[in-house]
Amino acid sequence: MVMQTSKFKLYKGQDEWQAGFASIIIAIVLILVLSLITVGFAALMRKETRSALDKHLSTQAYYAAEAGVNDAAKAINAGYREHKTNCGETTADLSDHTADSLRDTKVGNDAGVKWTCLTIDPEPKSLEYSAIDVDQSKIVEITGVNAAGADTIIDSLVIGWQGSDNGGTIRFRTSSGIFTPISSWNSSASVLRVGITPLGRNQINRDSLIANTSTAFLYPKESGGSTPPAAYENSSYTSNTGDDGGTIVPGNCHAQSQPLNCNVKITNLNSVNYLLDLRSLPYGKSRVSIRAYSGTTLLGIKNAQTLVDSTGKAQDVLRRVQVRIPSRNNYPHSDFGLETMGDICKQLKLAPGDPTSQTVCNPGTPL
């Protein structure tokens, strides 16, 4: 009887040991699970904190880049016309102090927020306009410049354009230079009126301006096919002046063309300086890109736009901004002495009581 009791106690102790061991295993697993949850939550919190910090730093870096642009604009408006190819602040001692704003990269008193790289190119390889309007022409002077920085004759211009809404399906067509009804047009691109006036010596007078100014109406025409045209030269136009001006020129348009959806090459130019008159017709603003060539060589263009590239930094976050600043304000001008979509009536009085005088406004009545 005693031996049986001892055996029972032995078995009971073994069960307790096994139950305790299982409890330990369960506790360890729970601790591991809770630890993993805690670590994951901490990592998530760190990620969210870093994300919020990065967003804040990104905003600061963007404003620092904008500060660099503003510093460049201030210098340009004060007369700075130099190439700035080094990233850092300007160290040259300029007597006219036009670049004083380029001597300090910090934004405010925070040394950790600053623009780290600022370049200025007063002779970009292209002119880019985001919105040529229908209400007022954009008039800009251009001068061709070669790689050595010397003024160079421009013998051709490549003009690209499309709707400022980034385009859409190109379905404009004409026949024999006659526009289709406006009801068949869409807003993916507009007609672009281009006036090109040479500004060479002895050409700034009434007769020369009339005789040498070339005007063309560039309209979008679908190039056809599933791939864009190989080159804009497929749609070229020899500039005509005087009575032969005002030609309707088809653009080679495709949704994937470069630099913009529609492109025309204007040849037969022969001057260093030109005045360009751009206007979008008949409705809708147009994005426009202009490139100047001497033969097959792409030229720089000065006197029109200055390309500013600014990078801002806030701690370890960088933001880059690239803008184009007008080299000078738009020329004040009137597009037309008189513009109307209706009839025009003239009242002509040669002398008091003259029976040939036109005193009644009746369009169509011969004088």
Side-chain angles (χ1 to χ4, degrees):
M1 187 69 177
V2 174
M3 292 179 63
Q4 291 178 350
T5 302
S6 299
K7 186 175 182 180
F8 173 78
K9 288 182 178 180
L10 178 62
Y11 290 155
K12 184 177 179 181
Q14 190 176 30
D15 291 340
E16 290 176 349
W17 179 84
Q18 290 176 343
F21 182 76
S23 299
I24 293 174
I25 295 299
I26 293 172
I28 292 174
V29 171
L30 289 175
I31 291 173
L32 289 176
V33 170
L34 291 174
S35 298
L36 291 175
I37 292 174
T38 302
V39 171
F41 183 74
L44 180 62
M45 289 297 295
R46 286 197 300 270
K47 181 179 179 181
E48 290 297 323
T49 302
R50 181 62 196 186
S51 177
L53 178 61
D54 284 346
K55 185 176 181 180
H56 175 68
L57 293 176
S58 178
T59 301
Q60 285 188 315
Y62 173 78
Y63 286 134
E66 285 283 310
V69 171
N70 291 333
D71 287 346
K74 180 180 177 182
I76 292 169
N77 291 333
Y80 186 75
R81 296 292 182 268
E82 304 298 323
H83 283 271
K84 185 179 183 301
T85 57
N86 63 303
C87 278
E89 58 188 291
T90 299
T91 58
D93 184 16
L94 302 178
S95 58
D96 55 4
H97 303 292
T98 57
D100 280 348
S101 58
L102 305 179
R103 298 179 189 275
D104 186 7
T105 67
K106 292 188 301 181
V107 179
N109 296 322
D110 190 347
V113 180
K114 59 184 178 179
W115 52 262
T116 59
C117 186
L118 179 66
T119 61
I120 300 174
D121 183 2
E123 301 167 2
K125 297 296 185 181
S126 69
L127 303 181
E128 308 292 339
Y129 297 99
S130 59
I132 299 296
D133 211 340
V134 299
D135 298 323
Q136 182 74 51
S137 291
K138 178 69 177 179
I139 296 184
V140 59
E141 180 185 346
I142 64 172
T143 301
V145 181
N146 62 19
D151 292 355
T152 303
I153 289 177
I154 299 172
D155 56 33
S156 65
L157 291 172
V158 173
I159 300 180
W161 79 102
Q162 69 185 53
S164 58
D165 58 355
N166 293 324
T169 302
I170 308 297
R171 59 169 182 258
F172 297 83
R173 297 179 183 275
T174 67
S175 176
S176 301
I178 300 175
F179 289 118
T180 57
I182 194 171
S183 59
S184 67
W185 293 27
N186 61 27
S187 61
S188 62
S190 296
V191 171
L192 185 68
R193 190 195 72 185
V194 179
I196 305 175
T197 303
L199 298 178
R201 183 176 297 177
N202 300 324
Q203 291 181 317
I204 312 301
N205 58 71
R206 184 176 184 275
D207 293 337
S208 294
L209 292 176
I210 293 175
N212 296 316
T213 295
S214 171
T215 301
F217 295 87
L218 313 183
Y219 75 89
K221 184 177 181 181
E222 188 177 23
S223 62
S226 58
T227 57
Y232 48 74
E233 284 88 347
N234 293 337
S235 183
S236 61
Y237 156 67
T238 300
S239 63
N240 295 320
T241 59
D243 294 339
D244 294 326
T247 307
I248 298 175
V249 183
N252 211 354
C253 301
H254 193 282
Q256 300 177 13
S257 291
Q258 295 295 329
L260 294 176
N261 289 166
C262 302
N263 299 282
V264 166
K265 183 175 185 179
I266 299 177
T267 60
N268 196 36
L269 304 176
N270 189 31
S271 182
V272 173
N273 304 89
Y274 284 96
L275 198 67
L276 300 185
D277 183 337
L278 307 171
R279 184 170 181 177
S280 184
L281 300 171
Y283 65 89
K285 297 180 180 180
S286 295
R287 294 174 56 199
V288 176
S289 173
I290 300 171
R291 287 167 169 77
Y293 288 84
S294 176
T296 59
T297 303
L298 178 63
L299 300 176
I301 301 175
K302 71 178 183 180
N303 296 328
Q305 289 180 343
T306 300
L307 181 61
V308 176
D309 194 323
S310 176
T311 300
K313 181 180 181 181
Q315 294 187 23
D316 59 345
V317 177
L318 300 174
R319 288 289 298 272
R320 183 179 179 185
V321 175
Q322 188 178 85
V323 301
R324 293 172 181 268
I325 300 174
S327 298
R328 60 185 66 180
N329 294 327
N330 196 30
Y331 290 87
H333 68 285
S334 175
D335 281 332
F336 304 101
L338 179 64
E339 180 180 17
T340 180
M341 297 298 290
D343 295 321
I344 297 177
C345 178
K346 282 187 177 181
Q347 291 187 353
L348 179 64
K349 188 173 183 179
L350 300 179
D354 190 333
T356 63
S357 298
Q358 181 74 39
T359 59
V360 178
C361 192
N362 185 14
T365 301
L367 297 178

